[in-house]
Amino acid sequence: MAAPDLLFNLRNSFYLGSYQSAINNSDIPNLSPDDAVERDSLVFRSYIALGSHQLVINEIDNSAATPLQAVKLLALYLSSPDLKESAISSLRELLADPALGNIPTLRLIAGIIFMHEQDYPEALKHTHAGGTMELHALNVQIYLKMCRSDHAEKQLKIMQQIDEDHTLTQLANAWLNLAVGGSKIQEAYLIFQDFSEKYPMSGLILNGKAVCCMHMGNFDEAESLLLEALNKDAKDAETLSNLVVCCLHLSKPATRYLSQLKVTHPDHMFVKRLSSAEENFERAIQSVA
C-alpha cells in the first residue's frame, strides 16, 4: 500500500493560486527531510506569489538546501530590476555544478526566470527533460509563449499519461484550450468551473473563468468574476490587466486599473506593450507634423 502523500493539499493549494491557504496550512507533522524541503519551497514560493519577496530573501540563509537557495534567487530576481543580473549569474553557477544542476526545483526556477526573460530556448534547456509534473506544466507554458501549441500538446499528452486527473494536467489542458480557441474555449471554461466547485475560489480560478468568458463575448460575467478576484488581491497583475481589457470592451473607464498596474507591475508584458504602442504613436504624430 502506497504511503499517503502528506503534501498533496499544500501542493494543490499552491497550484490553484490559494497562496495564503498554502501558507496557513503548512504545519504538517512527520515529514521526511526531503518533504520538509519541498514544503518550505512551496511556502516560500507562495510568499513570492503574494509579493513578499523580502521576507523570503531574509529567511533563507546560505546554509539552506539547494532548492531553497533557488527559490531565494527567484525572490531576488523578482524583487528589483537592479538584482536581476546578479540573481541570474548565481543561478547559472548552481546550474553549472554537476552535483546540483539536475535538482528538479533548481531546473524549475531556472525555467521560470528565463521565461520571464523571454529567453525561451534557455528556459527549455533546463526544463525540457521533465521529471516532475511542475516541469511538464512549465514546458506547456513556455511552448505556448513561443506560439508552439503543437509542442505544448505533446507535453500535455505526457502529463495525461502520467496522471490525467492531476490538477496541473487539468490546468495545462485549460491553458492549451485557451490558446487553440474556438470550440476549445468552452472546454477550458468547464475545467475552471470544475475547480471552482471542488476547491475554494482563488484569483487564478476566477481569472481563468473570466478569460474564457471574454473569449466567448460574455464581458459582463467576466467583469463580475474579475471584481471578485480583485477583492481577494487588489494588486494582482493578471486581474488588473484582464480588467483593463474587459472594461474597454464594455466601454467603461479602465484608467484606474491601468494606473494601478503601471505602479505595482511596471515590467508586466501588458504595460510594456502599451508603452511601446504609445511611443510608436508619438513618433508617427511627430513624423506627420
Side-chain angles (χ1 to χ4, degrees):
M1 184 174 174
D5 184 356
L6 299 177
L7 294 178
F8 177 84
N9 289 330
L10 176 60
R11 283 196 206 96
N12 224 42
S13 293
F14 177 78
Y15 296 153
L16 290 171
S18 296
Y19 304 117
Q20 194 60 55
S21 177
I23 293 165
N24 293 346
N25 297 292
S26 60
D27 188 11
I28 305 168
N30 304 318
L31 291 178
S32 68
D34 285 346
D35 280 350
V37 169
E38 184 180 354
R39 184 267 315 275
D40 292 346
S41 297
L42 289 165
V43 168
F44 284 126
R45 287 172 65 197
S46 295
Y47 276 116
I48 290 171
L50 292 172
S52 299
H53 304 125
Q54 198 58 48
L55 180 148
V56 175
I57 294 165
N58 292 344
E59 290 204 9
I60 299 177
D61 60 32
N62 293 332
S63 64
T66 301
L68 297 178
Q69 296 292 346
V71 172
K72 182 176 182 177
L73 289 176
L74 177 61
L76 285 164
Y77 173 85
L78 294 173
S79 66
S80 166
D82 296 335
L83 297 175
K84 283 187 176 184
E85 287 306 315
S86 62
I88 291 172
S89 176
S90 298
L91 177 66
R92 290 189 189 277
E93 285 181 25
L94 288 175
L95 291 165
D97 188 327
L100 305 175
N102 205 37
I103 292 173
T105 301
L106 177 59
R107 292 195 289 123
L108 181 76
I109 297 300
I112 292 170
I113 287 178
F114 289 119
M115 187 171 71
H116 273 282
E117 288 287 294
Q118 298 179 53
D119 188 347
Y120 304 127
E122 183 68 20
L124 286 170
K125 189 170 92 174
H126 305 291
T127 64
H128 78 279
T132 68
M133 292 299 275
E134 266 205 276
L135 282 163
H136 287 303
L138 185 58
N139 283 335
V140 172
Q141 287 185 309
I142 294 168
Y143 282 127
L144 291 177
K145 293 273 189 186
M146 297 171 72
C147 299
R148 291 304 305 264
S149 57
D150 53 336
H151 287 301
E153 186 174 3
K154 289 176 184 176
Q155 285 293 314
L156 174 61
K157 285 179 178 176
I158 293 170
M159 296 175 75
Q160 289 171 331
Q161 288 169 0
I162 297 169
D163 185 351
E164 190 171 10
D165 297 323
H166 196 286
T167 296
L168 286 177
T169 306
Q170 294 299 309
L171 277 173
N173 197 357
W175 299 334
L176 180 60
N177 286 338
L178 279 168
V180 171
S183 62
K184 292 290 185 180
I185 300 298
Q186 181 65 29
E187 293 180 30
Y189 181 86
L190 291 174
I191 291 171
F192 288 115
Q193 179 62 28
D194 187 51
F195 282 143
S196 69
E197 291 170 0
K198 287 182 179 176
Y199 304 107
M201 198 70 84
S202 68
L204 184 147
I205 295 172
L206 288 163
N207 271 276
K209 289 179 72 174
V211 170
C212 292
C213 287
M214 286 194 282
H215 274 283
M216 294 186 288
N218 301 330
F219 293 100
D220 287 320
E221 183 181 348
E223 183 188 29
S224 176
L225 291 163
L226 291 169
L227 289 174
E228 187 179 343
L230 198 67
N231 283 333
K232 293 181 178 295
D233 184 355
K235 295 182 179 179
D236 181 68
E238 299 313 307
T239 303
L240 290 167
S241 59
N242 285 331
L243 267 169
V244 172
V245 174
C246 191
C247 287
L248 290 173
H249 279 278
L250 290 169
S251 299
K252 292 185 175 182
T255 309
R256 186 185 305 165
Y257 303 128
L258 183 57
S259 297
Q260 195 169 354
L261 182 64
K262 286 179 176 179
V263 169
T264 54
H265 302 277
D267 291 330
H268 192 272
M269 184 60 67
F270 189 92
V271 175
K272 286 183 174 179
R273 285 179 177 170
L274 184 64
S275 297
S276 176
E278 288 173 347
E279 288 169 9
N280 289 338
F281 184 68
E282 286 299 322
R283 276 199 298 271
I285 291 175
Q286 287 170 8
S287 67
V288 171

